[in-house]
Amino acid sequence: MRDISFKPQGVCSVNLTFQLDDENKIHNVQFTGGCNGNLKAIGKLVEGRDAAEVKDILKGNQCGPRQTSCADQFAKAIEQALAE
């Protein structure tokens, strides 16, 4: 299990951690800051799902007038983790 830590940019959350198992399934998503209930829900919805699939679903999601969102930042974190 790989531990991933990511500093989101341009959003209310200030840190994101999650784990990827040997099959690139997502586990234990934790956002620090941001919309607590919504971000906990994202973590529950993606638990055990394929990282590439989650990335594709969340990528490009915007929050209000921002060009990004916590979900989009999560997609960027996944993309970065899969490239390593």
Side-chain angles (χ1 to χ4, degrees):
M1 194 84 73
R2 286 195 304 148
D3 294 319
I4 311 297
S5 183
F6 184 80
K7 298 283 185 205
Q9 302 292 315
V11 295
C12 298
S13 63
V14 295
N15 194 48
L16 163 62
T17 60
F18 61 99
Q19 295 177 310
L20 287 179
D21 67 19
D22 293 339
E23 297 177 351
N24 286 329
K25 305 286 185 195
I26 296 173
H27 301 280
N28 304 314
V29 176
Q30 300 269 325
F31 284 88
T32 303
C35 302
N36 191 351
N38 290 335
L39 297 175
K40 283 181 182 176
I42 288 174
K44 288 180 179 184
L45 289 169
V46 304
E47 180 65 29
R49 294 191 65 186
D50 180 73
E53 177 186 344
V54 171
K55 175 192 64 82
D56 290 344
I57 292 168
L58 298 179
K59 190 172 185 173
N61 188 53
Q62 295 180 326
C63 182
R66 295 182 178 103
Q67 295 299 307
T68 190
S69 67
C70 291
D72 182 55
Q73 291 294 299
F74 186 20
K76 290 176 191 232
I78 294 168
E79 191 168 52
Q80 180 178 311
L82 292 175
E84 293 176 356

